[in-house]
Amino acid sequence: MSYIVDRRGLEFILDECFDLDGLLKAARYAHLDMSTVTAMLDTAQQIAQDRYLPCAAKLDAEEPRFTAGKVEIIPEVAAALKEYSGAGFSGMGIEQIHGGAQLPCLLTTALNGVFMAANISVANYSFLSNGAANLIAACGSDEQRASYLPPMIEGRWFGTMCLSEPQAGSSLSDIRTRADPVGNDVYNLSGSKMWISGGEHELTENIVHMVLAKIPGGPAGAKGISLFIVPKFLPNPDGTPGDFNNIALAGLNHKMGQRGTTNCLLNFGEAGPCAGFLVGQPHEGLQAMFHMMNEARVYVGHTAAMLGLAGYLYSLDYARTRHQGRHPGEKDPTLPQIPIIEHADVRRMLLDQKVAVEGAIALSACCARLVDEKACAQDAAAASDAYLLLELLTPIVKSWPSEHCLDANKQAIQILGGYGYTRDYPVERFYRDNRLNPIHEGALGIHGIDLVGRKIRLEDGRALPLLVAEIERTLAACEELDDEVEAMRGAVAQMTKTAGALVKEPALSKSLASATRFLDAMGTLVVTWLWLKQASVAVRRLRDAREADIPFYTGKIKAARYMVREKLPDAVASLDRISKLDDVFFSMASEEFAPF
Amino acid sequence: MSYIVDRRGLEFILDECFDLDGLLKAARYAHLDMSTVTAMLDTAQQIAQDRYLPCAAKLDAEEPRFTAGKVEIIPEVAAALKEYSGAGFSGMGIEQIHGGAQLPCLLTTALNGVFMAANISVANYSFLSNGAANLIAACGSDEQRASYLPPMIEGRWFGTMCLSEPQAGSSLSDIRTRADPVGNDVYNLSGSKMWISGGEHELTENIVHMVLAKIPGGPAGAKGISLFIVPKFLPNPDGTPGDFNNIALAGLNHKMGQRGTTNCLLNFGEAGPCAGFLVGQPHEGLQAMFHMMNEARVYVGHTAAMLGLAGYLYSLDYARTRHQGRHPGEKDPTLPQIPIIEHADVRRMLLDQKVAVEGAIALSACCARLVDEKACAQDAAAASDAYLLLELLTPIVKSWPSEHCLDANKQAIQILGGYGYTRDYPVERFYRDNRLNPIHEGALGIHGIDLVGRKIRLEDGRALPLLVAEIERTLAACEELDDEVEAMRGAVAQMTKTAGALVKEPALSKSLASATRFLDAMGTLVVTWLWLKQASVAVRRLRDAREADIPFYTGKIKAARYMVREKLPDAVASLDRISKLDDVFFSMASEEFAPF
């Protein structure tokens, strides 16, 4: 059994639920077939198993250090990343025309997932780099693409995203980093950027920062933000890294988890000029940056899911092999102890993990599939629908796994008991690593505001009916799941009603006060839908399944039932309460929290 | 504002809700009055603030190390504990006749709480020591009391509890440590004990281990367990520590949190004879040990509450002083940013913490008060009622705070955002520290089994009606809270119905399958009751409150309403589902979890 990937489960999601095979028939993916996919997954699993997994605990214990002006990282990290790039995974989503492998997002997400589960701290470097390269491919000029993409796709240069500042974390409109024009779309950057993952290291020859800054004289707030490429070393005409661009590491943050990914405060242009190269038009940088931010949001949700999976697989194996206690009512203490998976409460904790983790993986697959559908769409309407649905689901794919797969990791610790609380076992590390996910790439509350304040109102509220239609398509195809389908239809009706109440409420502050709870409840509803999708596939496949596949499918059906019976009702009740817009916490004055 | 204690809130709980003043009128506490109480709280706060708090982060970063055969702990720990003992807090609950201060449990719990919030890793040493001393005082012989209590009450010797073994964590009936008689109630101990907090250190002259072991020839299982005092150094006739008793530290566990409390694997009698002194009768040790275990369970729940409080106070202060963003709908980005407590979602996170933390503190106060009521009872019936109610509430006081105040700490991190995820701020440490509480002193699932398998069945099911009567007493006294009282009566009816269904179910395995969920739902119900108790007091006090007290009381009332409206319904729905005894997870076969 592998601790980092469940290949049978992954095959079920990719092929049986989200039809990767069908997707590959699109002209865009003519260079791919399912045997290539299998080979890539094999390679990813091999590298993750051999290079990423073995150094994960060591990297956590020996986090990067800032000494003598350089960031020291244990050497296993560079070695692992070199194999990753060597196998062609850097820039794997970039179009072939720009030198990439042009893989569908459904597949890159799955491939990334294998590395995440093995060692998230290492996986982050290449993800950020891929994201920055994708952004340059999508929004950069031909010249920018020519000079930055080749070394990034070869993994010789890495990338970052630089948004937050010490005084502006969630409030991007308050950033202060300045970009003064020096001519020819070149600007002089000055200011500080906070929480920059992969912001400084010696892993690569160069680091390409994607930086948000304000050009003086532009509009105030979010409308005056521009995007710049700011390399650590200025590229020479021959493509090699040249002069130092005066980006100073002011300090490393010492985090609770994901410790192996450096996280920095960077000062731009402190000791000398720091050149930034404008991407796109002045003051339109935030829109461009959303290209990378949205990708990062799916990535963060998938990270949460894969850390959840790693804990699930570990605790499942433990529960099958650890012997403790006897069956309830068994009075004979001389009988041998039983594997703890025999205890109902341990099964409950495993099933809680299963529905969270496999539901979250289905959710990232669903979103990744929408990215691909948009890219392959035959007409503008189909592209627009896929895009709109993805917009609606983005706050959910970022947030629901971050909450519920963190909780899954909590259950994994609990199954291991005292052992799970020690650093000799990996589950406490997964829990620490996963705690970051509700915080970065937009804190949980920000995504609630995005969903309620923006996404359900886009294009006259067209997104939610699109989702409801998708859900109904799944429900209509369900067989042998009548009770569950009925419960789900009731839940959808409640969601529609509650969303309507929120949109109709004239006081924005009042509708936003329930936003985080709406986000969570709607997330549970969406994940329940994806569980019914899985169950529906399982019911059909079960009819001519191989003997060995039977428990796999019956397990999927039972998990879907558990989700509908145990998790969905609380979400529906919460949606009902939210629709009343009675927010007692909103009326709590600061001094009422006490102490005063 | 203090980060470790909310004195106004504590005064409310002790005096206004649980009538400490009235309790002190009992003959047992004739040596105490409220001014002594205030002085003791002042002293505790001072020592905690000056000695415990400043070294908490350092102790976490520089955990105890096993070098050259000794355990090295940063020197601040011994200094802090010396002040604690010097101020008379060691053995503070022990009866005066045995040399203790004979404080009521309601007060010792409050006093302990101040140290817990400041530095739980240090507080654990003295708690374990107090618990071991209490056990010797309650169950030891006169000779044992004479030889062990004086140095323990002076804080010169510490104590531990040694129950678990590597192969027997939750299953105590499977322990293997042997106690071979050598005469005169002296036994030769041999075996290994796991997860021993405070099991080895150089903080004191001696360590007094309270050890469960089996005398060969006794009954199998839990009925053959005996209790022994096993000192690290055998006491000389003059009371000084004498010969080493062959207890070897086999290794320190490296935990996720509570790192400053050594946690050990100890080998007894490996390199030479290890003497254990029988406490009470052979084979009746588990019953005696429950004296310490039950105390430890209230302690663990209170620890969870106080770690929750520490996070709440810290994040409340942060929310009041950190400026970020603007009011919803505010379009002018040039306006100054607002304190984040102005954001509804931040208030929600504060209120979630408030109801969990202050509810949990009320729960430990309630249980502590029952300990005192039993001790002061005028007749056997009153003592028996108090004891039975405490028995019923013990799994709840251990478990509910451990779950919900851990969640409170998660919210504290979220309020601090990225900062909260770094080790520069204490909230991530509280979260790591608190993660232990659902694991030790009986894992969560064990307490579910205790509640459903045993406590609700004790004395023909007399405990639950006792609780219901107590709740009804509170509800009858509520004014201006009609909706809340009605909701609570409905919840109580559902609880009674569900408990009835569980008790009537003939298959024990089936009723136990829902035990953990029943424990959690019943916990929410009990805590909601205690919130209504607080709200009811607040309503009355509000009528002639000082101006400065008004927000304190209105905050209590709003928090109670939030608990009833937002938290209680899910518990009631869960109780309803449990009553149907439909446990899908119970039917999940091992291979259905996949991967296989």
XYZ file of all heavy atoms in Angstrom, chain A residues 65-95:
224
model
N 17.218 27.903 6.887
C 17.808 28.910 7.783
C 18.472 30.008 6.964
O 19.029 29.765 5.901
C 18.853 28.249 8.702
C 18.227 27.350 9.751
C 19.270 26.844 10.716
N 20.446 26.330 10.000
C 21.627 26.112 10.570
N 21.800 26.369 11.868
N 22.630 25.636 9.874
N 18.427 31.191 7.526
C 19.030 32.361 6.877
C 20.382 32.585 7.520
O 20.476 33.054 8.643
C 18.094 33.558 7.109
C 18.496 34.823 6.404
C 19.240 34.808 5.238
C 18.090 36.055 6.910
C 19.593 35.990 4.590
C 18.442 37.242 6.273
C 19.192 37.211 5.120
N 21.443 32.164 6.832
C 22.774 32.329 7.425
C 23.725 32.908 6.384
O 23.715 32.501 5.223
C 23.361 30.989 7.929
O 23.016 29.962 7.007
C 22.836 30.638 9.304
N 24.534 33.850 6.856
C 25.534 34.489 5.993
C 24.919 34.994 4.685
O 25.447 34.779 3.599
C 26.690 33.527 5.720
N 23.758 35.612 4.813
C 23.142 36.229 3.641
C 22.495 35.267 2.675
O 21.976 35.669 1.641
N 22.523 33.961 3.007
C 21.920 32.983 2.101
C 20.925 32.110 2.857
O 21.009 31.939 4.065
C 23.001 32.085 1.483
C 23.969 32.823 0.582
C 24.481 31.909 -0.518
C 25.555 32.603 -1.363
N 25.024 33.699 -2.185
N 19.972 31.550 2.100
C 19.022 30.623 2.702
C 19.531 29.204 2.489
O 19.710 28.761 1.360
C 17.625 30.790 2.074
C 16.664 29.753 2.641
C 17.092 32.189 2.322
N 19.757 28.526 3.596
C 20.217 27.137 3.531
C 19.046 26.191 3.630
O 18.275 26.256 4.594
C 21.117 26.834 4.731
C 22.577 27.052 4.486
C 23.356 26.668 5.742
O 23.209 25.525 6.222
O 24.084 27.539 6.246
N 18.921 25.296 2.683
C 17.866 24.281 2.699
C 18.538 22.923 2.563
O 19.512 22.792 1.805
C 16.874 24.501 1.530
C 16.295 25.931 1.578
C 15.748 23.478 1.566
C 15.321 26.262 0.463
N 18.053 21.941 3.268
C 18.700 20.616 3.195
C 18.792 20.172 1.727
O 17.881 20.413 0.938
C 17.953 19.547 4.039
C 16.506 19.338 3.573
C 17.967 19.914 5.523
C 15.837 18.088 4.135
N 19.907 19.542 1.362
C 20.194 19.292 -0.060
C 19.189 18.377 -0.758
O 19.054 18.416 -1.987
C 21.592 18.655 -0.044
C 21.810 18.196 1.361
C 21.008 19.093 2.239
N 18.458 17.560 0.006
C 17.482 16.653 -0.608
C 16.425 17.413 -1.416
O 15.849 16.874 -2.360
C 16.767 15.833 0.476
C 17.647 14.796 1.183
C 18.364 15.346 2.407
O 18.574 16.587 2.485
O 18.710 14.546 3.289
N 16.178 18.675 -1.038
C 15.113 19.437 -1.689
C 15.488 19.750 -3.139
O 14.694 19.522 -4.063
C 14.798 20.727 -0.898
C 13.768 21.578 -1.626
C 14.297 20.377 0.507
N 16.709 20.267 -3.320
C 17.144 20.587 -4.683
C 17.188 19.325 -5.538
O 16.783 19.327 -6.714
C 18.514 21.265 -4.655
N 17.617 18.243 -4.925
C 17.712 16.977 -5.666
C 16.323 16.511 -6.110
O 16.136 16.065 -7.252
C 18.385 15.914 -4.796
N 15.348 16.630 -5.214
C 13.983 16.200 -5.546
C 13.420 17.060 -6.673
O 12.838 16.549 -7.637
C 13.102 16.289 -4.308
N 13.602 18.368 -6.565
C 13.052 19.284 -7.561
C 13.715 19.098 -8.921
O 13.094 19.271 -9.967
C 13.191 20.727 -7.072
C 12.223 21.081 -5.930
C 12.649 22.360 -5.213
C 10.790 21.226 -6.452
N 14.986 18.716 -8.876
C 15.700 18.473 -10.128
C 15.089 17.270 -10.864
O 14.917 17.290 -12.080
C 17.180 18.205 -9.819
C 18.081 18.489 -10.989
C 19.539 18.400 -10.611
C 20.350 18.253 -11.895
N 21.755 17.969 -11.623
N 14.735 16.257 -10.116
C 14.097 15.086 -10.751
C 12.729 15.456 -11.307
O 12.322 14.972 -12.365
C 13.953 13.950 -9.737
C 15.291 13.346 -9.374
C 15.261 11.819 -9.413
O 14.315 11.236 -9.989
O 16.185 11.225 -8.841
N 12.034 16.288 -10.576
C 10.704 16.740 -11.011
C 10.812 17.445 -12.358
O 10.106 17.113 -13.313
C 10.130 17.661 -9.933
C 8.791 18.306 -10.231
C 7.601 17.750 -9.763
C 8.709 19.510 -10.939
C 6.377 18.355 -10.001
C 7.487 20.124 -11.190
C 6.321 19.542 -10.722
O 5.125 20.147 -10.958
N 11.717 18.415 -12.410
C 11.878 19.161 -13.661
C 12.429 18.264 -14.761
O 11.996 18.340 -15.916
C 12.821 20.347 -13.458
O 12.289 21.234 -12.519
N 13.354 17.409 -14.378
C 13.973 16.502 -15.350
C 12.942 15.599 -16.022
O 13.072 15.219 -17.186
N 11.905 15.258 -15.262
C 10.870 14.378 -15.826
C 9.845 15.158 -16.643
O 8.886 14.583 -17.153
C 10.181 13.614 -14.705
N 10.046 16.472 -16.749
C 9.174 17.267 -17.617
C 7.932 17.826 -16.941
O 6.997 18.256 -17.622
N 7.915 17.832 -15.601
C 6.720 18.328 -14.927
C 6.683 19.852 -14.784
O 5.628 20.432 -14.529
C 6.564 17.666 -13.553
C 6.286 16.190 -13.632
C 7.133 15.260 -13.033
C 5.174 15.722 -14.326
C 6.877 13.888 -13.104
C 4.901 14.357 -14.404
C 5.769 13.434 -13.797
N 7.835 20.511 -14.936
C 7.818 21.984 -14.867
C 7.127 22.519 -16.116
O 7.424 22.101 -17.232
C 9.244 22.535 -14.809
O 9.843 22.200 -13.579
N 6.213 23.418 -15.917
C 5.502 23.997 -17.055
C 4.622 23.004 -17.782
O 4.303 23.180 -18.954
N 4.191 21.951 -17.080
C 3.442 20.889 -17.763
C 2.081 21.342 -18.280
O 1.543 20.750 -19.204
C 3.292 19.650 -16.864
C 2.567 19.884 -15.556
S 2.557 18.353 -14.564
C 2.196 18.997 -12.934
N 1.553 22.421 -17.709
C 0.239 22.895 -18.164
C 0.333 23.938 -19.271
O -0.669 24.316 -19.874
N 1.564 24.413 -19.521
C 1.732 25.490 -20.503
C 1.544 24.958 -21.927
O 1.899 23.818 -22.227
C 3.123 26.134 -20.318
C 3.150 26.865 -18.960
C 3.461 27.097 -21.453
C 4.460 27.507 -18.636
N 0.999 25.806 -22.765
C 0.715 25.379 -24.137
C 1.997 25.006 -24.877
O 3.063 25.570 -24.624
C -0.009 26.511 -24.874
C -1.129 27.103 -24.011
C -2.315 27.604 -24.802
O -2.092 28.136 -25.893
O -3.447 27.429 -24.309
